[in-house]
């Protein structure tokens, strides 16, 4: 069978725009609770929904999420067909990609669409907020802030990911100098002016990105074991990972 | 008045409706909610979409829909649009103009072949039930008895209901019916109601599927198939030490992937209740066999019966004559003279139950037999007969085989009187394997008195004054 042509009318709107998703979250880079911004729009089960005003995810659904795990933002239509409304809530279960609906849903037969994720670091701490893609096979890119790290005095740093580590397909770590003058990859080695310089290593275990840097004590010239990376008042950098459900 | 109130009246005018669904493919759908699609018979979608966006949809001519089939899957009829939103694989027909469907997986209709079961309605006299939107043509000549029964010895094996409907064709209205229409395998419903009863309150006595059609110069005979008969796809199934009812669910899903274990397709309450009472089975089929035959073999292994409800959901009944009687059938409701048959030929003195079948018929260990002769002497003393019967089962081990043997012996070691009683249609919901207290009396004096009886068979006669014949086995 081949694709068949749709009449240029309601069929195009209902079927031709399947998978459409235009979601914006407030405070997406902050750890405060987000709302879905007014103007966001989404297709769910071939029906289209517009957030005329901000949509606040159900608060108790966040309470039910276990701390130190990743939660998923679910949009569920309800009400009488023709005047349905969509409410938002957090759920613990990972979504599945539904090929016939071209989107992430709670299950193959569900009309609950999953549009974003966040890591629950604490009761009111929403980290790693990420909008899910609406393209099959596209890995999800998640940016995780490292937060404070005095690299002059502390050799290692653990950052919790709240994910299934075997589903992480790649990761990069970027380190910011205190004054922002340099931004360097954490895992790197280079040679200059007669010396080798080494950044550090990352091990992704079941809970954390376990970062261990090279220090001067090892006898190797360390990139970050320096007063230039000592401040605890700045975010030290980001872990950027790709993840597949 | 309600259906129940009409049933209790001494005088009422029963009405029989026969509804045959004719399949009509449909591609005109408008989305009206997440996974919910709308068909307006008059093609007026202006309440929801701008008329300039419609795809030249055209008005349709049918007036009633009795079923919706989505690529072979019968969608479940629900009573409101709101329920379509919450019920998987469902549809709602508002009775006049609007049809709403929810396809499997809440996917769009374009991914399926959807056919609407347009209702062709017939009755004994031309008739429009209160609140109905169509005339039921007076073409119905007869409805042979709708029967359901099980053999008193071959446990688990149930006779398919079926039967046939005869419609008048003297005017040639049906001459090309079988050629012009897509009818085979479509739904047919037989409904019971009364003059003055709202159409929506009519009770479905029997829902089946259209099989063979026979059209002559003066009549058309529509032969009906039971839903279970449709489970005829050959299968080769294997499982190890699995609950018998879980095995049945797997077999059905293996044959028909859309029939998942849910309240849409199963009476899950009865199913779960029966599940804790049955033993495990081990099946290792080497050759294909129709799925319904395999299911009946499993039923015979666990002293139960696979059945369908009038809403076409599957259920399972355990044969348990110790169960509390459903109610009492009083003597004044019994319309025939009592006649009880006692057949010593049905007494069994010992049983052999096979178990642990390994599936390889060439193997010397093909199956193991357990013989229970514990009642042989007692039966000989009482009935002067030896009668051993073999039961081939899929049971997994000797403990399960012994458990079944004990039940079988207890059931058949004595003569149990069997009688047929004719009762009013108010007993329409009596089911096979149920037990009732029956007042088996003469007209003016006691005969056997009140006896607890198990229902072995049920035959509904709708041709004149509706009555039901019940085959009862005195417990």
């Amino acid at each position: 069978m081949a694709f068949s042509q749709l009449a240029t009318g309601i069929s195009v709107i209902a079927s031709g725009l399947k998978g459409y998703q235009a979601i914006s979250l407030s405070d997406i880079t902050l750890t405060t609770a987000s709302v879905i911004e007014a103007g966001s729009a989404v297709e769910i089960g071939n029906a289209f929904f517009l957030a005329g005003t901000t949509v606040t995810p159900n608060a108790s659904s966040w309470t039910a999420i276990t701390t130190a795990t990743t939660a998923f933002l679910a949009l569920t239509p309800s009400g009488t067909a023709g005047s349905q409304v969509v409410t938002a809530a957090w759920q613990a279960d990972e979504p599945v990609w539904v090929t016939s609906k071209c989107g992430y849903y709670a299950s193959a037969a569900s009309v609950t669409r999953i549009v974003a994720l966040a890591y629950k670091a604490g009761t009111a701490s929403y980290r790693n907020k990420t909008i899910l893609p609406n393209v099959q096979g596209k890995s999800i890119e998640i940016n995780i802030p490292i937060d404070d790290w005095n690299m002059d005095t502390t050799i290692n740093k653990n950052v919790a990911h709240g994910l299934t580590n075997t589903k992480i397909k790649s990761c990069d770590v970027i380190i910011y100098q205190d004054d922002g003058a340099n931004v360097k990859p954490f895992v790197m080695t280079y040679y200059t002016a007669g010396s080798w310089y080494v950044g550090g290593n990352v091990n992704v275990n079941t809970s954390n990105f376990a970062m261990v840097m090279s220090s001067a004590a090892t006898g190797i010239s360390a990139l970050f074991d320096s007063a230039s990376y000592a401040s605890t008042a700045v975010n030290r950098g980001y872990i950027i990972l790709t993840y597949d459900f | 008045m309600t259906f129940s109130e009409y049933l209790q009246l001494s005088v009422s005018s029963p009405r029989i409706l026969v509804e045959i669904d004719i399949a009509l493919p449909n591609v005109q759908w408008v989305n009206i909610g997440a996974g919910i699609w709308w068909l307006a018979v008059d093609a007026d979608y202006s309440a929801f979409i701008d008329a300039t966006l419609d795809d030249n949809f055209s008005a349709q001519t049918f007036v009633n829909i009795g079923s919706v089939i989505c690529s072979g899957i019968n969608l479940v009829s629900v009573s409101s649009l709101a329920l379509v939103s919450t019920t998987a694989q469902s549809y709602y027909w508002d009775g006049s103009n609007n049809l709403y469907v929810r396809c499997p997986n809440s996917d769009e209709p374009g991914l399926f072949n959807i056919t609407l079961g347009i209702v062709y309605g017939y009755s004994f006299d031309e008739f429009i039930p209160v609140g109905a939107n169509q005339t039921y043509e007076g073409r119905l000549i007869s409805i042979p008895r709708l029967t359901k029964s099980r053999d008193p010895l071959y446990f688990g094996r149930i006779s398919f209901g079926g039967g046939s409907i005869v419609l008048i064709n003297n005017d040639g209205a049906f001459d090309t019916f079988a050629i012009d229409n897509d009818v085979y395998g479509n739904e047919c419903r037989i409904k019971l109601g009364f003059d003055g009863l709202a159409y929506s309150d009519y009770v479905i006595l029997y829902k089946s599927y259209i099989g063979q059609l026979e059209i002559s110069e003066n009549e058309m005979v529509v032969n009906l198939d039971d839903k279970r008969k449709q489970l005829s796809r050959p299968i080769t199934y294997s499982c190890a030490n699995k609950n018998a009812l879980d095995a049945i669910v797997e077999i059905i899903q293996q044959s028909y992937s859309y029939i998942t274990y849910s309240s849409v397709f199963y009476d899950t309450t009865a199913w779960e209740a029966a599940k804790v009472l049955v033993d495990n089975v081990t099946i290792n089929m080497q050759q294909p066999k129709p799925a319904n035959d395999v299911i009946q073999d499993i039923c015979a292994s666990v002293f139960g019966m696979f059945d369908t409800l009038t809403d076409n959901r599957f259920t399972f009944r355990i044969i348990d004559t110790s169960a509390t009687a459903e109610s009492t059938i009083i003597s004044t409701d019994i319309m025939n003279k009592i006649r009880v048959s006692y057949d010593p030929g049905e007494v069994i003195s010992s049983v052999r139950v096979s178990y642990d079948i390994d599936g390889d018929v060439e193997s010397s260990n093909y199956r193991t037999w357990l013989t229970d002769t514990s009642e042989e002497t007692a039966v000989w003393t009482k009935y002067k007969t030896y009668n051993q019967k073999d039961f081939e089962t899929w049971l997994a081990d000797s403990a399960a085989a012994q458990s079944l043997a004990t039940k079988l012996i207890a059931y058949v070691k004595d003569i149990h009187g069997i009688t047929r009683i004719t009762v009013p249609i108010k007993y329409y919901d009596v089911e096979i394997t149920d037990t009732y207290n029956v007042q088996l009396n003469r007209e003016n004096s006691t005969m056997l008195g009140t006896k607890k009886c198990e229902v072995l068979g049920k035959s509904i006669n709708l041709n004149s004054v509706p009555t039901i014949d019940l085959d009862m086995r005195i417990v």
Side-chain angles (χ1 to χ4, degrees), chain A residues 10-11 15 18 82 84 100-101, chain B residues 32 34-35 53 55 105 107-108:
Chain A
I10 193 66
S11 299
S15 299
K18 197 189 303 184
Q84 285 192 311
S100 58
K101 298 191 183 78
Chain B
I32 194 172
L53 285 173
D55 295 328
N105 285 343
D107 281 333
E108 60 190 299

Side-chain angles (χ1 to χ4, degrees), chain B residues 15-28:
Chain B
R15 289 285 187 175
I16 305 300
L17 304 181
V18 171
E19 296 181 344
I20 294 173
D21 291 350
I22 304 298
L24 177 69
N26 195 282
V27 294
Q28 297 185 175

Side-chain angles (χ1 to χ4, degrees), chain A residues 184 188-192 195-199 223:
Chain A
K184 294 178 177 173
M188 68 178 296
T189 302
Y190 73 95
Y191 180 82
T192 184
S195 298
W196 282 95
Y197 289 85
V198 178
L223 268 175

